Amino acid sequence: MPKMNIDMIKGRTPDEIKQILDISYEVMLAAFGAPDGDRYQIVTQHEPYEMQILDTGLGIERTDKVLVFSLVTRPRTTEQKVNFYNNLVSELHEKTGLRKEDVMINLVVNSDEDWSFGYGEAQFLTGKL
């Protein structure tokens, strides 16, 4: 059920994007215990001048490979969130060579009543999900 938006600077190949999507999906399933097939991912590619991802004074230097993950999700425990952050960055680094400094993640929490998966129905509330 998490909806994952991934912002990136244009220039990656379709295979690279697919790998990022697959890795982030698998990490999300493991960290949040979501059911298989619960996959809602949207990639938005930007011109370099359209993304300014600074470091908030942390000394993090970004490259043009920066990824920004924004997830809308049910409430999660602190442990689940920390595991997701750590595992996502580690898996992307290990499997794609992406620098750990180039991954930013943010979670936005909502509840079951905030979702409709189609037909204008609130499937979580009707019991269909």
Side-chain angles (χ1 to χ4, degrees), residues 8 57 65 67 70-71 76 81 86 90 95 108 116 118 127:
M8 61 183 67
K65 296 295 184 187
L67 297 175
S70 301
L71 281 73
R76 306 294 176 178
K81 292 175 187 179
N86 289 329
S90 293
K95 293 180 178 175
V108 176
S116 172

Side-chain angles (χ1 to χ4, degrees), residues 44-105:
T44 304
Q45 298 185 65
H46 303 271
E47 296 295 337
Y49 60 86
E50 294 177 324
M51 287 184 65
Q52 297 295 315
I53 311 302
L54 301 181
D55 68 356
T56 316
L58 297 172
I60 300 170
E61 294 186 28
R62 314 273 189 201
T63 71
D64 63 351
K65 296 295 184 187
V66 65
L67 297 175
V68 179
F69 288 84
S70 301
L71 281 73
V72 179
T73 184
R74 289 176 163 159
R76 306 294 176 178
T77 67
T78 299
E79 181 181 4
Q80 286 176 313
K81 292 175 187 179
V82 169
N83 285 338
F84 177 72
Y85 303 151
N86 289 329
N87 294 342
L88 178 59
V89 171
S90 293
E91 290 288 314
L92 287 169
H93 177 71
E94 290 171 21
K95 293 180 178 175
T96 72
L98 183 69
R99 295 170 63 247
K100 293 182 177 186
E101 301 93 318
D102 279 333
V103 181
M104 182 176 160
I105 305 164

